[in-house]
Amino acid sequence: MQAMAYQPYARNSSLCAIGSLPSDADMDIAMWNDKFLCLEGPELLRIEAGRGADDTDAGLLDSKFEQLQQYVKQWSGTYEGDRKGTGLTTPVLVRESRKAPSEFDGVVDRSGVRILFQSTNAGDRYKTSSEEKKDEKERSSGGGGAKKSPSYSGTKPFMSNARKEGGMEVLVEKTTGGNIRVRARRCNMDGKTVVKEMSEEVIVRSLKKAVEVWVGARATAGFNKD
């Protein structure tokens, strides 16, 4: 509980902790930070893509990191434009991630992409029943109880505020421990966002398969060490 109190990613989160640590477990602050990092988003996938700590050549580690960056960027291009054939049930936009490296996260370098879900049908014009009742009450208020027609100014259409539709951020990271990993986490969320589980599953499954192919190819070529 004391560790949770100092973790910013644990705030406003629901989680359950069970079991116990081995008596000889040596959990330093960096390891605790990494355990709680999965709450940011939350994290949906993590793949260790290279045991860089075993590589004595820093140039080799940087080369692997840059190659994986480009590979993930190329993979994300599958979801740009027409989503036909991607398996997604939701239209998306692909944008570059601007999430900076963080010593707190144990990351010295990172880059990635944001796959942002877009509205469908009514989209951001959709209103919940409570919002519709509130609008009706406002239109009905006024002198003598007579209903007033809504008046608008400017050129903006009458609609509720645009909502965040959710998305997935895919990050390629080089850690302070000298490893390379890929993480996928939810992004572009707020309290009213409806989770697009089917589209998330499609993206996670595709990313996992793609990164495993990349790791396997590098292992065959001798880039990864046991």
Side-chain angles (χ1 to χ4, degrees):
M1 293 299 294
Q2 183 179 5
M4 291 175 57
Y6 292 99
Q7 289 293 333
Y9 295 138
R11 298 165 191 165
N12 299 318
S13 299
S14 297
L15 64 149
C16 177
I18 60 174
S20 61
L21 293 172
S23 58
D24 59 347
D26 184 17
M27 294 287 289
D28 59 16
I29 187 62
M31 294 182 68
W32 277 116
N33 291 347
D34 186 64
K35 295 299 183 183
F36 282 94
L37 179 61
C38 64
L39 294 176
E40 184 196 24
E43 188 176 299
L44 301 179
L45 179 69
R46 180 183 295 206
I47 303 176
E48 299 297 331
R51 298 177 59 188
D54 291 340
D55 293 324
T56 56
D57 185 358
L60 179 59
L61 175 62
D62 291 338
S63 176
K64 293 196 305 189
F65 178 68
E66 292 172 2
Q67 289 175 32
L68 186 53
Q69 281 181 314
Q70 293 300 317
Y71 181 79
V72 169
K73 184 177 181 180
Q74 183 179 14
W75 164 85
S76 68
T78 304
Y79 299 103
E80 292 185 304
D82 188 1
R83 69 180 187 274
K84 184 177 181 181
T86 63
L88 295 181
T89 58
T90 307
V92 299
L93 289 177
V94 180
R95 295 291 183 264
E96 183 178 351
S97 171
R98 297 182 179 180
K99 190 171 181 63
S102 166
E103 184 177 352
F104 185 87
D105 295 347
V107 175
V108 295
D109 199 0
R110 66 163 44 123
S111 71
V113 295
R114 287 161 58 89
I115 303 175
L116 305 175
F117 298 133
Q118 300 300 292
S119 60
T120 57
N121 298 327
D124 56 12
R125 291 178 174 80
Y126 174 77
K127 295 184 180 181
T128 63
S129 59
S130 59
E131 289 173 331
E132 290 177 344
K133 289 178 181 178
K134 182 179 179 180
D135 290 342
E136 181 63 25
K137 183 177 180 180
E138 291 176 352
R139 289 194 294 268
S140 301
S141 63
K147 293 184 179 180
K148 292 185 178 180
S149 298
S151 59
Y152 316 115
S153 59
T155 58
K156 291 185 178 180
F158 181 65
M159 62 177 67
S160 58
N161 293 332
R163 296 191 179 91
K164 292 184 177 180
E165 296 292 338
M168 189 173 299
E169 186 170 39
V170 179
L171 299 168
V172 180
E173 300 175 328
K174 183 164 58 176
T175 70
T176 53
N179 297 319
I180 300 172
R181 69 188 182 197
V182 177
R183 294 193 305 122
R185 70 181 194 95
R186 285 177 180 157
C187 66
N188 195 39
M189 306 280 289
D190 62 21
K192 294 184 178 181
T193 303
V194 177
V195 176
K196 318 271 190 310
E197 292 186 3
M198 292 179 63
S199 291
E200 286 181 348
E201 290 175 2
V202 168
I203 295 172
V204 167
R205 188 164 54 247
S206 173
L207 176 63
K208 184 175 185 293
K209 180 178 179 180
V211 175
E212 287 177 346
V213 168
W214 187 89
V215 171
R218 295 309 179 277
T220 301
F223 278 86
N224 287 333
K225 298 180 180 180
D226 296 329

